[in-house]
Amino acid sequence: MDRHDAAAMPWEIPLAGDEVDHLVGSLDRLRATFRWKAGGLDAAGLSARVGVSAMTLGGLLKHLALVEDDVFACRLSDDPLGPTWDAYFAGMTAPPADDWSFASAADESPAVLYALYDGAVARSRVRLAAALAAGGLDQEVAMADDAGRHASLRRLLCDLLEEYGRHTGHADLLREAVDGRVGEDPPAYWVGG
């Protein structure tokens, strides 16, 4: 069974598959869990905080949208982030602060935040599928260290899995504080969005 056979729960990781099935399946599962945790909220829900942390689900949506485009445009192929981000960065004379995506989400409507995230994931899936078809996990990508050694596509996927693991944990806490939603995976009836 590959990951596409799990029609009832498309985010389910295959029991037995190749490395690509497992890495992409794990990423898709984390994406689905994160989106389920952040889904269906109004502005108040997306801006809710836990304790002294300034982190919000809205901030996580915008941050992960930026990360998706950064990984699968800039780091993969040295392409620009794209027109989605051009409007945000127009007029900036310096790179935005590290927490820009988190903090600036407070100025966005839920519809904009959900569209930003969903659009970035859709673009990433297309770019990743094309890269896998063109050269597999071992191919070098644009991202390189200071010595000029290039990372592999496998490394990009592992970095993104780590990013989602961390922020899906944050989303667990934030969503539970908003309305009590808990759980590891979306329920079988969830269709996304």
Side-chain angles (χ1 to χ4, degrees):
M1 173 179 109
D2 72 20
R3 67 187 183 88
H4 301 290
D5 292 335
M9 294 183 291
W11 53 83
E12 189 58 45
I13 302 167
L15 292 175
D18 63 19
E19 185 179 14
V20 170
D21 288 335
H22 284 271
L23 287 171
V24 175
S26 294
L27 179 57
D28 282 343
R29 182 179 184 174
L30 283 166
R31 284 172 171 157
T33 300
F34 171 76
R35 186 60 173 84
W36 173 60
K37 293 290 182 170
L41 294 172
D42 60 12
L46 288 176
S47 62
R49 297 176 178 188
V50 174
V52 298
S53 174
M55 191 171 293
T56 66
L57 286 167
L60 286 170
L61 281 164
K62 192 167 185 178
H63 173 71
L64 286 172
L66 181 59
V67 169
E68 288 270 1
D69 280 330
D70 179 55
V71 167
F72 290 116
C74 305
R75 295 178 191 202
L76 175 65
S77 341
D78 203 25
D79 291 336
L81 284 171
T84 299
W85 299 101
D86 290 347
Y88 285 109
F89 299 131
M92 285 189 183
T93 56
D98 288 341
D99 66 347
W100 171 84
S101 57
F102 291 106
S104 66
D107 300 328
E108 308 284 2
S109 71
V112 166
L113 291 169
Y114 289 129
L116 192 62
Y117 177 78
D118 293 340
V121 170
R123 287 186 297 278
S124 291
R125 285 186 172 129
V126 169
R127 291 171 179 149
L128 176 57
L132 287 168
L137 293 171
D138 291 326
Q139 70 183 287
E140 288 185 352
V141 299
M143 184 177 90
D145 65 13
D146 292 340
R149 294 176 301 219
H150 289 265
S152 67
L153 181 54
R154 179 182 291 102
R155 168 63 190 266
L156 287 187
L157 279 172
C158 289
D159 286 352
L160 193 55
L161 283 164
E162 178 186 359
E163 186 84 7
Y164 265 99
R166 179 174 41 256
H167 292 317
T168 300
H170 296 137
D172 283 338
L173 294 172
L174 290 162
R175 185 58 187 249
E176 186 175 6
V178 170
D179 63 6
R181 179 180 281 182
V182 295
E184 182 178 332
D185 290 318
Y189 60 81
W190 187 75
V191 292

